Amino acid sequence: FFFCCRVMANSVNINSLASVLSGASLEETKPAAMAAPAPAKPARRVPSSTPEYDSFLSFAERCDWTFTEAKCEEIFGPGARVIERRDQASLTMEQVAQDYLVGSKPLIVTGSLETWNAKKTWDPDWFARTYPDDVVIANDRAPARKVDRMTLRPQSSVRIKLPQYVKYMKSFGRDEKAPPLYLNGWHAFKEHAELCDDIESPAWIEDHTVLILQQIDKAIAGGGGKGAGGEDGAWVHNTDVLLNKVFMGPAGNITRLHFDAHRAHGWLAQVRGRKLFVLFPPADSGKLYPLEGEATTQSPCDPLDPSVCERYPKYGGASLQYAILEEGETILCPDGWWHFACSLSPSVTVMRNFYHALSNVHGLVGLFANLNKKKNKQVK
């Protein structure tokens, strides 16, 4: 997102925002006054829809807009498997670490948000009331891809005040032909530290992220003095906070097939609404046609596209797992697992990437090395 996002308020299709966004805080470039303007070149037409949103609409019609896992089984076929579900009360940290992190298996945990303050208070209207001056960036494709530019349908983005985005989100309907704008990967916890008090690290996950970062910081400090951040390891806290994100938007928001960078594990908690998740194990990477030259590892395969097997013949041999994540549930995606997600209703999701000493610690060391390299470039 950070490498490929382009804020293009003029080119994004926002027909449904016509009345909502009159006077919106959009980022625009106005031409300077000129005595004799040169003739404008014909603009290339940007399609209003995207292939993945067209696939979602087709999928929704096949489901009669009543999304159930039974309907998904009919569409995905008998070879697809439903992701395992467990109740939080039946799990221990040790069991999850051994069977699902080290063992590399996805898991959905029910009853996992019962003690969260976010479950009681967070919804789109609450965010709009609480942070009326926040300006956010919403995108119509996610994650961004360089290859999209070659198809003349790159990601389009709009900068907008949060209350106006929420109004747009609530007005978006199934009859819309353009894909909905998605508030994906919002670093709300960085901007509003108090939000950290509204969520909790799952009781069944051993999250060693801070401990590993502290050890890295000590090693760099050499037993004394300031660490990597230059302020007694403040970078440890800042890096940890950046691993938390909020995703919010209407039905039809899509996160295309990819896996998370730097070998990160991830959990996603569904605070509001429902989402379909489709996962593939790391061993299937060769069957998913990874794209070259992207900032993260992504696949062109669309699990909702009826013609996906014709376009990508090896895809048919991949081991598809799926589930509908219901409100109040959390999905665990171990490192290297490919995942695709789409909102089935207006949705608020919290995501955290994390590291575990026995399974993916090397990924966090690589993440730090990458951040340090970027910092040194900026200094130069």
Side-chain angles (χ1 to χ4, degrees), residues 12 14 17 138-140 156 158 165 168 179-183 249-250 253:
V12 67
I14 51 174
L17 291 176
N139 312 287
D140 70 350
S156 292
V158 61
Y165 175 75
Y168 156 76
L181 296 167
Y182 192 12
L183 183 51
N253 280 152

Side-chain angles (χ1 to χ4, degrees), residues 140-170:
D140 70 350
R141 304 191 85 174
R145 291 177 178 173
K146 295 177 183 176
V147 71
D148 292 338
R149 298 173 188 172
M150 292 184 280
T151 66
L152 302 184
R153 189 53 175 90
Q155 178 196 71
S156 292
S157 304
V158 61
R159 187 181 294 272
I160 181 174
K161 281 199 169 183
L162 185 56
Q164 292 169 306
Y165 175 75
V166 169
K167 189 174 182 180
Y168 156 76
M169 167 184 169
K170 292 169 66 179

Side-chain angles (χ1 to χ4, degrees), residues 67-118:
F67 303 103
T68 65
E69 289 181 351
K71 292 271 190 184
C72 291
E73 182 180 11
E74 293 175 16
I75 292 169
F76 293 138
R81 291 172 46 202
V82 178
I83 298 169
E84 181 183 359
R85 263 186 171 84
R86 298 279 300 273
D87 184 77
Q88 177 172 262
S90 70
L91 296 168
T92 65
M93 280 187 175
E94 294 77 15
Q95 180 185 22
V96 172
Q98 187 60 39
D99 295 347
Y100 300 96
L101 297 181
V102 177
S104 189
K105 290 194 300 183
L107 175 68
I108 288 180
V109 180
T110 61
S112 52
L113 309 187
E114 293 306 312
T115 59
W116 281 31
N117 189 50

Side-chain angles (χ1 to χ4, degrees), residues 64 92 112 117 228 256 258 271 285 309:
D64 299 320
T92 65
S112 52
N117 189 50
R256 295 183 284 183
H258 72 289
V271 180
S285 292
C309 290

